[in-house]
Amino acid sequence: MQKEHLFKVLVIGDLGVGKTSIIKRYVHQIFSQHYRATIGVDFALKVLHWDSQTVVRLQLWDIAGQERYGNMTRVYYREAVGALIVFDVTRASTFDAVLKWKDDLDLKVTLSNGKPVPAVLLANKSDQSREGLRSQIPKLDTFCKENGFVGWFETSAKDNTNIEAAAKCLVEHILAYEENITNNTDPDVVALPGYNNNTKERVRTRCVTCSKF
Amino acid sequence: MAKLQAGNGVQWKDNKSQRGTVENLAEYESSSLGSDSELNGFGNTEIQTDKYGFIGGAQQSTGENEDIPPDVLRQREAKWLDMLNSWDKWMAKKHKKVKLRCQKGIPPSLRSRAWLYLSGGKVKKEQNLGKFQELDRQPGDPKWLDVIEKDLHRQFPFHEMFAARGGYGQQDLFQVLKAYTVYRPEEGYCQAQAPIAAVLLMHMPAEDAFWGLVQICEKYLPGYYSAGLEAIQLDGEILFALLKRVSPVAHRHLKKHKIDPILYMTEWFMCAFSRTLPWASVLRVWDMFFCEGVKIIFRVGLVLLKCMLGSQEKLKVCQGQYETMELLRSIEPRYMQEAFLVQEITELAISERDIEKEHLSQLRRWKETRGELHCKSPPRMHGAKAIMAAEPPSRQDLKQHPTIIVEVPPTTESKGKKPKKTKTEKKKDTSPPLNPYPLPNDPTLPSDNLSPSESEHLQKDTPLQGSNQSLSSAEQDTYL
């Protein structure tokens, strides 16, 4: 029997890092230089035929990147089960903001067991960085482990690099969590909100799965 | 990364990864064709704009709105020139008439002047001569410059004025937005200000657009762009409360699916519908908005919600939060069509008092649940009359400065006494005038009332064959 999942996924990150471009590439297979700045929030739906038994419907929420909209994110984040956090490899300040976004996310939304929602880090506009982030790879691995990202990808919405892979990684983690709660209804497990040591432990193991991609 | 040099001489440095500094329109076409589904009706050989300057995109005119007959337009222009030339009197004594004329639509040739007069931007400009230039000379806070710069190419990318990277439109936009951050450093820059400024710039020079923006940010929509964005969230609650009265069905549906107003109204309100409606409708809404204030924005929102979610039948297809939001992002064109929308707006009985009343009760609720507002905004002014009452202009402030000075040839001895109708008719019989407007050698010509952009509009918007219907001389004399 076919199973259908509906997941709300947030796409967040600083202004102008390419969130809208990533979504348009992923959902409509297009790229344009002429997108409008997102004001408030935008949406798109991607249907994935995950395997013969599973259909995944991803609601992608494209959230305005300007800090000023930070007051509204509580409403935008509600009931999200995953996030793509994006920065622009050509602008260091957007990487500095990644943790701000991650903290905002973890503060305002958690999974039903109280753990942080899985988040994948996207180093976007890789087509624009000459040497890429190759030298940074070990650092980003550590960064992800330390900060609770389930993985990271060097992406380019323009060249269509790694967008699908990043989304796939995120969906795997979301599905893994779903299966976990359906199989494991241990009443002794007490869910704590926000960060805890468990979270980091969980992330470390998951990151290995992720490196397959 | 493209870097701007602030100040007067805006220079655009090359971006390593881009082919050039300025993408001209031809390049724009070749680079994006075939890769963007939004582009349609876009010729392969040359770029075609609609009458508003759009070369594509969802807001491009489909030509379904009927043009106003030239003779009607001529009459309206005369009436508007008359109003603008004794603006204080009209506003004081015949405000209803002004309102009615805004509802009918301001003639394109006079829209820029009318918007600036209605908003009080004209008065602000006159009372602060040299201010804009002074602001422009200052470097500005790099924090804001960086954000503004990121947004310049993302405002109406399908409008000819803003399509080219580093083109004049984007340069002006930078100038205006930067000036605002220097003018109000505590406010800085909010992303939604860019489309507002861009719409103004489509109609007027940078200095005028700046004062128009100031008036919108401080009088019409105070607090909308301030840190925390509390004012817009509060207006979301007000809108939702008013919806209960206008369409209980839509209200119940949104409530049932827990769809917070900020999920659908943020862009609508913050951009004054400039990114939502077809262009002809945007202009009509803005004509009324400048005259009557935020009430118009509320009414547009209520009309759209009512039309899209107002019956059980319609709700059958959107059983869910996401589906509903999708629906509100793709409003049926017939509900946004100029004539339909304007009629609905004018008929909807939601007054300033309704909004103020609801404002008070939502503010009370806000304080109970979320505490005091962090950002104290100045009180909202409901339209042109209120603004004028708050900041009464002198006659001098309302004087239109000549931007084109036409030498009057000494041969025209008939200073306004001669019946000009026969004269102009005679002329037209022999050779058609270059400009359909009153002839340059006509002594009563309103030449000093026309800014270059206005006269350009006149040429663009009025076919020559309509010129024999142009202003009758008697009217002309009284009005000018």
Side-chain angles (χ1 to χ4, degrees):
Chain A
M1 212 184 78
Q2 222 183 35
K3 250 176 125 178
E4 211 177 283
H5 296 277
L6 180 66
F7 298 140
K8 172 173 170 178
V9 167
L10 306 170
V11 182
I12 52 180
D14 262 10
L15 170 152
V17 295
K19 298 179 291 295
T20 303
S21 294
I22 286 170
I23 293 174
K24 298 261 181 187
R25 168 61 80 189
Y26 184 53
V27 177
H28 305 292
Q29 290 84 41
I30 53 164
F31 178 80
S32 162
Q33 304 276 2
H34 308 283
Y35 294 131
R36 304 185 301 186
T38 306
I39 288 169
V41 61
D42 208 339
F43 321 91
L45 186 72
K46 170 87 173 178
V47 182
L48 294 171
H49 297 278
W50 189 252
D51 57 35
S52 55
Q53 279 115 52
T54 325
V55 173
V56 174
R57 297 166 75 84
L58 284 185
Q59 280 177 9
L60 296 151
W61 286 51
D62 184 0
I63 315 274
Q66 198 183 12
E67 202 176 0
R68 202 152 286 199
Y69 294 88
N71 247 354
M72 298 183 171
T73 51
R74 191 178 296 280
V75 174
Y76 298 154
Y77 291 176
R78 202 181 288 153
E79 288 165 20
V81 295
L84 300 172
I85 302 186
V86 189
F87 72 97
D88 171 354
V89 292
T90 66
R91 282 188 294 150
S93 65
T94 65
F95 177 71
D96 299 337
V98 160
L99 284 185
K100 191 201 75 189
W101 284 102
K102 182 74 166 73
D103 291 343
D104 189 48
L105 177 75
D106 291 341
L107 185 74
K108 290 174 182 166
V109 64
T110 49
L111 296 175
S112 53
N113 63 1
K115 289 187 176 170
V117 300
V120 172
L121 182 64
L122 271 65
N124 195 38
K125 303 196 189 178
S126 66
D127 56 282
Q128 286 190 34
S129 90
R130 272 169 299 179
E131 69 277 18
L133 284 177
R134 309 260 168 259
S135 56
Q136 305 284 331
I137 286 176
K139 277 193 216 162
L140 272 182
D141 279 338
T142 326
F143 178 84
C144 282
K145 279 179 195 163
E146 283 174 354
N147 296 292
F149 286 92
V150 299
W152 72 275
F153 290 85
E154 198 178 353
T155 60
S156 163
K158 194 178 175 193
D159 296 348
N160 196 13
T161 312
N162 270 339
I163 309 277
E164 303 244 345
K168 197 175 169 210
C169 171
L170 183 66
V171 172
E172 292 221 323
H173 281 91
I174 298 171
L175 281 171
Y177 168 75
E178 289 272 304
E179 278 159 27
N180 218 359
I181 45 166
T182 43
N183 298 338
N184 176 19
T185 42
D186 187 352
D188 292 325
V189 174
V190 180
L192 293 171
Y195 265 118
N196 54 38
N197 291 331
N198 276 342
T199 317
K200 292 195 175 171
E201 215 46 56
R202 177 182 64 95
V203 164
R204 202 160 290 149
T205 48
R206 290 268 166 85
C207 223
V208 182
T209 351
C210 206
S211 57
K212 274 190 292 192
F213 299 102
Chain B
M1 206 201 325
K3 265 277 172 244
L4 273 182
Q5 266 183 8
N8 258 341
V10 178
Q11 276 183 25
W12 298 76
K13 285 193 190 147
D14 198 357
N15 177 339
K16 280 168 259 149
S17 59
Q18 273 164 2
R19 281 158 299 178
T21 325
V22 178
E23 280 177 274
N24 63 29
L25 287 175
E27 193 185 334
Y28 157 56
E29 185 193 25
S30 62
S31 67
S32 58
L33 248 187
S35 64
D36 195 324
S37 63
E38 270 193 284
L39 282 176
N40 46 23
F42 207 108
N44 253 328
T45 45
E46 65 180 56
I47 293 167
Q48 296 223 317
T49 69
D50 68 3
K51 63 176 169 180
Y52 307 112
F54 283 90
I55 44 186
Q59 288 181 300
Q60 194 180 30
S61 169
T62 50
E64 62 176 16
N65 293 309
E66 270 187 41
D67 284 337
I68 300 161
D71 52 332
V72 176
L73 200 57
R74 288 292 83 76
Q75 285 168 16
R76 287 188 183 170
E77 280 166 350
K79 289 174 180 173
W80 270 95
L81 278 172
D82 177 39
M83 287 199 299
L84 291 166
N85 288 335
S86 22
W87 188 246
D88 47 350
K89 286 185 193 146
W90 276 87
M91 289 299 285
K93 294 186 183 134
K94 296 181 187 169
H95 176 254
K96 274 210 170 116
K97 195 88 190 169
V98 178
K99 191 172 108 181
L100 201 67
R101 286 176 178 172
C102 287
Q103 285 173 359
K104 284 185 174 177
I106 301 170
S109 57
L110 291 161
R111 186 166 267 136
S112 65
R113 217 181 131 190
W115 283 3
L116 211 59
Y117 274 63
L118 286 162
S119 66
K122 164 78 177 157
V123 175
K124 267 272 161 63
K125 181 177 108 173
E126 296 301 329
Q127 292 176 350
N128 296 278
L129 282 177
K131 182 76 182 170
F132 178 71
Q133 290 73 16
E134 181 199 315
L135 297 167
D136 189 39
R137 278 192 297 272
Q138 295 187 42
D141 186 338
K143 173 177 77 175
W144 299 126
L145 301 190
D146 188 49
V147 184
I148 292 170
E149 194 194 304
K150 281 270 152 316
D151 274 354
L152 294 178
H153 68 284
R154 306 198 288 167
Q155 311 305 327
F156 302 104
F158 293 101
H159 192 275
E160 59 178 353
M161 201 175 150
F162 299 101
R165 286 238 184 183
Y168 293 115
Q170 294 189 14
Q171 289 178 37
D172 284 353
L173 188 59
F174 176 79
Q175 221 185 351
V176 170
L177 295 173
K178 190 207 81 181
Y180 190 82
T181 65
V182 181
Y183 183 67
R184 292 278 180 253
E186 71 285 2
E187 296 274 308
Y189 166 68
C190 173
Q191 280 198 301
Q193 285 172 314
I196 297 280
V199 177
L200 294 169
L201 280 169
M202 288 177 200
H203 294 88
M204 55 187 85
E207 183 178 7
D208 292 357
F210 169 75
W211 292 110
L213 177 70
V214 166
Q215 292 301 90
I216 289 178
C217 298
E218 298 181 355
K219 301 290 191 305
Y220 288 86
L221 309 171
Y224 265 32
Y225 311 103
S226 311
L229 303 179
E230 291 169 323
I232 189 79
Q233 297 178 63
L234 197 59
D235 273 4
E237 299 300 333
I238 297 170
L239 176 74
F240 191 56
L242 293 171
L243 182 65
K244 193 170 186 178
R245 226 185 301 171
V246 173
S247 174
V249 177
H251 182 268
R252 205 177 316 123
H253 179 80
L254 291 170
K255 195 170 182 173
K256 181 178 149 196
H257 293 286
K258 297 195 183 75
I259 302 171
D260 195 290
I262 64 164
L263 291 178
Y264 53 86
M265 58 75 73
T266 307
E267 181 179 328
W268 287 0
F269 276 53
M270 288 184 94
C271 305
F273 288 98
S274 64
R275 305 210 319 175
T276 309
L277 303 173
W279 205 251
S281 304
V282 170
L283 296 176
R284 296 288 300 277
V285 165
W286 279 47
D287 289 347
M288 291 188 279
F289 169 60
F290 274 120
C291 183
E292 300 178 60
V294 78
K295 166 176 84 184
I296 297 300
I297 305 297
F298 275 98
R299 287 189 189 176
V300 177
L302 291 166
V303 167
L304 296 183
L305 288 168
K306 186 185 80 177
C307 287
M308 293 303 287
L309 307 172
S311 73
Q312 292 302 343
E313 195 190 350
K314 283 179 175 132
L315 297 180
K316 272 184 199 142
V317 293
C318 59
Q319 289 301 330
Q321 189 195 60
Y322 188 81
E323 289 73 13
T324 305
M325 286 183 319
E326 280 277 81
L327 200 69
L328 291 178
R329 294 196 67 77
S330 48
I331 291 161
E332 283 177 55
R334 62 185 165 131
Y335 298 134
M336 302 191 288
Q337 193 270 333
E338 184 185 348
F340 173 85
L341 185 63
V342 170
Q343 182 167 358
E344 290 285 315
I345 296 168
T346 43
E347 283 174 0
L348 192 67
I350 291 293
S351 66
E352 289 158 28
R353 271 187 63 190
D354 295 329
I355 292 170
E356 281 308 313
K357 227 176 102 189
E358 205 51 64
H359 184 101
L360 286 178
S361 63
Q362 292 304 325
L363 194 62
R364 213 177 304 124
R365 240 190 76 196
W366 179 290
K367 284 178 179 168
E368 280 164 20
T369 53
R370 310 197 209 186
E372 283 292 318
L373 290 177
H374 293 93
C375 211
K376 292 269 178 281
S377 313
R380 176 145 63 192
M381 306 252 166
H382 288 276
K385 201 178 160 82
I387 292 170
M388 202 166 194
E391 292 172 348
S394 68
R395 289 236 76 175
Q396 191 60 30
D397 295 336
L398 294 171
K399 212 178 145 203
Q400 177 76 352
H401 305 295
T403 47
I404 304 174
I405 297 165
V406 180
E407 294 284 331
V408 179
T411 47
T412 50
E413 71 290 346
S414 56
K415 275 269 172 195
K417 296 283 180 219
K418 211 173 162 185
K420 263 150 282 131
K421 196 165 189 174
T422 50
K423 188 183 151 198
T424 40
E425 272 175 356
K426 219 181 286 165
K427 275 198 182 275
K428 268 161 211 156
D429 287 340
T430 50
S431 60
L434 286 172
N435 189 329
Y437 221 60
L439 298 167
N441 54 3
D442 188 325
T444 56
L445 174 79
S447 59
D448 53 359
N449 285 318
L450 295 176
S451 70
S453 64
E454 281 172 351
S455 47
E456 210 173 90
H457 274 302
L458 283 173
Q459 283 174 353
K460 212 197 269 178
D461 293 332
T462 53
L464 283 177
Q465 59 268 35
S467 61
N468 49 358
Q469 306 273 10
S470 66
L471 303 173
S472 75
S473 54
E475 256 187 314
Q476 185 78 330
D477 279 346
T478 11
Y479 287 127
L480 303 169

